């Protein structure tokens, strides 16, 4: 039975009318301890979910929904290595990437955990050689810059985590991330580098991705030019992270310098695999291991905590509540940390590539809204840009605020000024300011509507002791499992991404039409044909 026809879904539909009429002001007034009871603590993460438009009954009904949808069953199947990625016939085992040595997770009756630890050991050895200066470029110079070339999951994770943890990195080695096939990006990120001191990590699960391979070949030419064409240099300046040994060897990278991962690791769930090699070089293997322990902590929680106290399941359910019952379409993720500037792009792929689906696991159209549009940027910058719409606009925009108690760099009173905003914004969103309160301040009547804040705008606050590899691992695993929970409830396959294929194929067909020396016969629609013709004219300077 589709979940939308289940008694659990129907009960929420009947219940929504009651909650829609309630204001967060009333919910807090009727339960003065709401802010102390509607919270959860897991590891270093404290989640306050009291400023959500829910009652105890809503939470009970949402938990029923998770049970009815079989979230726990699918979760257990994932941890057991079952092939829950039904369209690609693959297991989904990013959780194995942080499983402790000695544990057993089998795919096709083979325990994958020893493999994971073998690759981790190879990464560790290589990272230590680069960090110590033992691994040099072809001309004997020490490596000063590591450039990761990859896109999507082969870029967003390591890039986000490098930015997040840069203050834990060895500052004598810088990491850069080339992802877009726009040549300007490659140029900007390499023009000031010395090829003799640069190591490229070509990160691609398939080793066929157009953007990555185009950039990789450009990098190869760039290095060889500096080395006077000496092909032997390729092996000192290029290593690969991939599942495709043949393609790596064909590129000229010794498979001994290829760090492996497996088809049961989805791209957007891969940065704690070898895809995180650049990060490991930056922060060192021990810090990387701390990060894995953070992931593991959240994995254990997700696996064992009852639904009502399960942080990722709860976050997933709240998202479903807003999207499917209260009509919200987006989630603003608002980290109060300079270091988390790339968290949102990372979460965009995680949530939107995973759950942007309109058929269920059996291929039938889904009967509800799926997927969350994730957006946002760090506070307080966002406060001076788009928060206006969240406070006074017409749309319902649930928000996740993420903040830290301790700063890496305690400059004067910056941290308290900063975090005062982290506390103020959810308060203002939830409680607003009534017309009476505004008028009582002596505001002229004609201005009162403009200065009134309706409030009742929901948010989660995630307060963390400090940003570290350990806490970052916990935070990312939290969102991974939240995404999983939502996919399970919608009964969609969160682990394929067929929706990216059509555009890729069309682009491949168009490349020769743009390159052609003579005017090609174009067989597209009239709009695409006209655009291509104009582009060709502009390129030719006509
Ligand atoms: O955008 C589609 C996608 O397949 C992502 O899922 C993946 O993270 C990205 O392309 C990169 O793929 P690869 O690692 O194979 O180069």
């Amino acid at each position: 039975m589709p979940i939308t026809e289940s008694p659990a879904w129907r009960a929420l539909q009947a219940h929504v009318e009651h909650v829609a009429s309630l204001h967060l002001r009333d919910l807090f007034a009727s339960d003065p301890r709401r802010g102390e009871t509607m919270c959860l603590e897991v590891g270093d993460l404290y989640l306050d979910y009291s400023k959500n438009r829910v009652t105890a009954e809503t939470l009970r009904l949402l938990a029923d929904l998770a049970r009815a949808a079989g979230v726990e069953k699918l979760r257990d199947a994932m941890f057991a290595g079952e092939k829950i990625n039904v369209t690609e016939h693959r297991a989904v085992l990013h959780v194995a990437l942080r499983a402790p040595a000695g544990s057993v997770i089998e795919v096709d009756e083979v325990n994958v955990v020893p493999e994971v630890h073998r690759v981790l050991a190879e990464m560790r050895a290589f990272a230590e050689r680069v960090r110590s200066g033992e691994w040099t470029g072809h001309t004997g110079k020490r490596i000063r810059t590591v450039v990761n070339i990859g896109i999507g999951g082969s870029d967003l994770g390591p890039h986000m985590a490098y930015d997040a943890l840069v203050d834990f990195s060895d500052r004598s080695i810088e990491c850069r991330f080339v992802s877009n096939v726009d040549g300007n990006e490659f140029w900007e990120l390499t023009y000031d580098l010395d090829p003799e001191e640069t190591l490229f990590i070509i990160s691609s699960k398939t080793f066929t991705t157009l953007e990555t391979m185009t950039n990789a070949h450009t990098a190869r030419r760039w290095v060889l030019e500096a080395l006077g064409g000496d092909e032997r240099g390729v092996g000192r300046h290029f290593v690969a992270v991939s599942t495709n040994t043949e393609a790596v060897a064909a590129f000229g990278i010794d498979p001994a310098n290829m760090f492996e991962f497996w088809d049961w690791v989805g791209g957007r769930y891969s940065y704690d695999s070898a895809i995180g090699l650049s990060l490991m070089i930056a922060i060192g293997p021990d810090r990387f291991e701390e990060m894995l322990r953070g992931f593991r902590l959240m994995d254990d929680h997700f696996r064992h905590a009852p639904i009502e106290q399960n942080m990722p399941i709860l976050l997933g359910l709240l998202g479903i509540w807003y999207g499917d019952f209260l009509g919200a379409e987006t989630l603003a993720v608002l980290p109060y940390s300079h270091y988390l500037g790339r968290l949102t792009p990372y979460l965009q792929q995680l949530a939107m590539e995973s759950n942007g689906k309109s058929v269920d696991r059996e291929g039938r159209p889904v009967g509800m809204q799926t997927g969350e549009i994730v957006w946002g940027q760090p506070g307080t910058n966002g406060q001076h840009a788009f928060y206006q719409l969240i406070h006074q606009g017409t749309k319902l925009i649930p928000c996740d605020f993420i903040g830290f108690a301790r700063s890496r760099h305690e400059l004067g009173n910056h941290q308290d000024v900063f975090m005062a905003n982290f506390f103020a914004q959810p308060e203002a969103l939830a409680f607003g300011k009534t017309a009476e309160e505004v008028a009582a301040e002596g505001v002229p009547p004609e201005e009162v509507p403009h200065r009134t804040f309706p409030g009742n705008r929901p948010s989660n606050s995630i307060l963390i002791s400090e940003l570290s590899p350990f806490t970052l691992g916990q935070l990312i695993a939290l969102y991974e499992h939240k995404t999983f929970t939502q996919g399970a409830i919608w009964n969609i396959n969160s682990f394929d991404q067929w929706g990216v294929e059509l555009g890729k194929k069309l682009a491949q067909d168009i490349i020769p039409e743009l390159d052609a020396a003579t005017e090609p016969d174009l067989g597209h629609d009239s709009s695409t044909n006209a655009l291509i013709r104009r582009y060709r004219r502009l390129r030719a300077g006509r």
Side-chain angles (χ1 to χ4, degrees):
M1 181 207 311
I3 193 69
T4 47
E5 287 169 25
S6 67
W9 191 277
R10 295 247 158 91
L12 282 158
Q13 278 175 327
H15 172 73
V16 74
E17 220 172 292
H18 167 63
V19 175
S21 66
L22 296 173
H23 196 287
L24 278 165
R25 278 196 287 263
D26 307 321
L27 291 172
F28 271 82
S30 63
D31 174 9
R33 295 196 56 240
R34 184 178 168 97
E36 289 150 41
T37 52
M38 292 179 87
C39 54
L40 269 179
E41 202 166 350
V42 178
D44 296 84
L45 273 51
Y46 175 83
L47 167 68
D48 174 345
Y49 58 95
S50 63
K51 295 190 188 83
N52 280 292
R53 292 176 56 181
V54 293
T55 63
E57 175 69 354
T58 322
L59 294 170
R60 195 182 63 70
L61 294 174
L62 285 169
D64 286 349
L65 179 69
R67 268 184 282 272
V71 172
E72 294 158 297
K73 195 163 161 260
L74 193 69
R75 172 198 65 191
D76 295 345
M78 172 175 75
F79 277 95
E82 286 176 31
K83 296 193 175 166
I84 62 167
N85 177 351
V86 285
T87 61
E88 296 178 320
H89 316 290
R90 291 175 181 165
V92 174
L93 273 181
H94 42 281
V95 291
L97 299 171
R98 50 265 190 165
S103 55
V104 178
I105 302 178
E106 290 187 346
V107 178
D108 294 331
E109 289 165 32
V110 176
N111 183 12
V112 298
V113 179
E115 275 293 280
V116 167
H117 284 269
R118 173 183 63 78
V119 174
L120 276 172
E122 287 170 10
M123 289 166 65
R124 172 180 277 273
F126 180 73
E128 274 164 358
R129 287 177 76 192
V130 175
R131 284 165 66 84
S132 68
E134 187 199 324
W135 178 283
T136 60
H138 184 57
T139 56
K141 284 194 182 173
R142 209 182 158 133
I143 298 299
R144 294 288 172 206
T145 312
V146 173
V147 181
N148 184 77
I149 295 184
I151 197 163
S154 301
D155 163 74
L156 291 161
H159 197 171
M160 175 277 295
Y162 174 71
D163 282 10
L165 302 176
V166 70
D167 202 37
F168 294 84
S169 72
D170 174 348
R171 301 275 186 164
S172 69
I173 302 175
E174 189 196 349
C175 291
R176 296 188 184 182
F177 295 84
V178 173
S179 56
N180 203 334
V181 72
D182 180 350
N184 296 304
E185 180 170 317
F186 185 91
W187 190 88
E188 284 294 340
L189 289 171
T190 53
Y191 83 92
D192 58 343
L193 298 182
D194 178 351
E196 293 175 46
E197 298 180 345
T198 303
L199 173 72
F200 287 94
I201 302 177
I202 312 301
S203 297
S204 176
K205 183 172 169 179
T206 54
F207 227 73
T208 57
T209 303
L210 176 68
E211 293 90 335
T212 300
M213 297 325 295
T214 306
N215 279 321
H217 284 286
T218 300
R220 200 173 189 280
R221 282 196 300 277
W222 182 80
V223 168
L224 284 178
E225 212 170 283
L227 299 181
D230 189 346
E231 294 268 347
R232 287 170 308 167
V234 172
R236 303 301 300 177
H237 292 273
F238 288 86
V239 297
V241 179
S242 189
T243 57
N244 187 346
T245 317
E246 270 175 33
V248 168
F251 182 85
I253 296 174
D254 182 349
N257 293 329
M258 176 182 124
F259 299 86
E260 209 181 329
F261 67 122
W262 306 273
D263 71 0
W264 39 262
V265 183
R268 52 196 174 273
Y269 299 88
S270 69
Y271 99 75
D272 50 348
S273 71
I275 288 291
L277 183 61
S278 52
L279 176 69
M280 189 191 271
I281 294 171
I283 64 173
D286 292 343
R287 294 284 194 191
F288 196 88
E289 173 56 33
E290 274 175 39
M291 186 185 76
L292 295 183
R293 282 205 297 274
F295 274 96
R296 198 182 303 155
L297 185 154
M298 190 55 72
D299 292 346
D300 289 343
H301 166 77
F302 177 54
R303 197 170 181 182
H304 300 296
I307 288 179
E308 290 78 1
Q309 275 113 51
N310 196 305
M311 199 182 275
I313 294 184
L314 182 63
L315 283 187
L317 289 170
L318 288 167
I320 300 252
W321 173 238
Y322 292 119
D324 288 306
F325 297 94
L326 284 166
E329 295 208 314
T330 78
L331 170 73
V333 178
L334 308 166
Y336 278 62
S337 168
H338 163 76
Y339 291 119
L340 291 184
R342 296 195 58 83
L343 180 66
T344 304
Y346 171 77
L347 293 181
Q348 282 173 332
Q349 189 200 17
L350 178 64
M352 294 160 77
E353 200 171 70
S354 295
N355 287 341
K357 313 284 162 68
S358 50
V359 295
D360 68 14
R361 294 163 70 82
E362 287 76 38
R364 301 168 303 203
V366 290
M368 79 291 266
Q369 194 182 162
T370 65
E372 262 170 357
I373 302 170
V374 177
W375 63 286
Q377 60 159 284
T380 61
N381 291 2
Q383 291 175 205
H384 298 271
F386 55 79
Y387 279 39
Q388 164 67 39
L389 186 144
I390 308 179
H391 281 286
Q392 287 188 317
T394 54
K395 300 182 193 313
L396 173 65
I397 301 178
C399 304
D400 282 0
F401 287 87
I402 301 166
F404 299 88
R406 291 191 288 278
S407 169
R408 293 288 299 166
H409 301 282
E410 296 280 352
L411 304 185
N413 67 343
H414 275 249
Q415 180 66 0
D416 288 343
V417 171
F418 189 37
M419 288 300 284
N421 286 277
F422 169 87
F423 298 117
Q425 290 296 328
E427 185 179 4
L429 286 168
F431 302 106
K433 197 171 183 185
T434 62
E436 295 72 37
E437 287 165 342
V438 175
E441 287 174 354
V443 170
E446 67 278 13
E447 285 181 22
V448 168
H450 300 281
R451 294 181 182 227
T452 298
F453 289 75
N456 212 20
R457 287 156 199 242
S459 64
N460 291 303
S461 295
I462 301 174
L463 182 60
I464 308 173
S465 47
E466 63 187 2
L467 179 59
S468 69
F470 187 51
T471 60
L472 183 71
Q474 295 171 43
L475 184 67
I476 298 305
L478 171 65
Y479 279 99
E480 283 181 349
H481 300 320
K482 173 199 165 173
T483 302
F484 178 95
T485 299
Q486 296 191 324
I489 291 172
W490 289 319
N491 189 31
I492 56 179
N493 180 8
S494 302
F495 305 103
D496 62 13
Q497 54 285 316
W498 300 107
V500 302
E501 293 303 323
L502 178 59
K504 279 190 200 172
K505 163 80 179 65
L506 292 179
Q508 288 283 11
D509 295 346
I510 290 172
I511 292 170
E513 297 172 347
L514 304 185
D515 281 353
T518 55
E519 204 60 36
D521 279 339
L522 297 176
H524 307 277
D525 58 277
S526 60
S527 158
T528 310
N529 286 346
L531 286 164
I532 291 174
R533 279 194 211 102
R534 176 168 286 260
Y535 173 84
R536 285 180 54 90
R537 275 204 307 280
L538 290 168
R539 293 278 288 169
R542 284 183 273 130

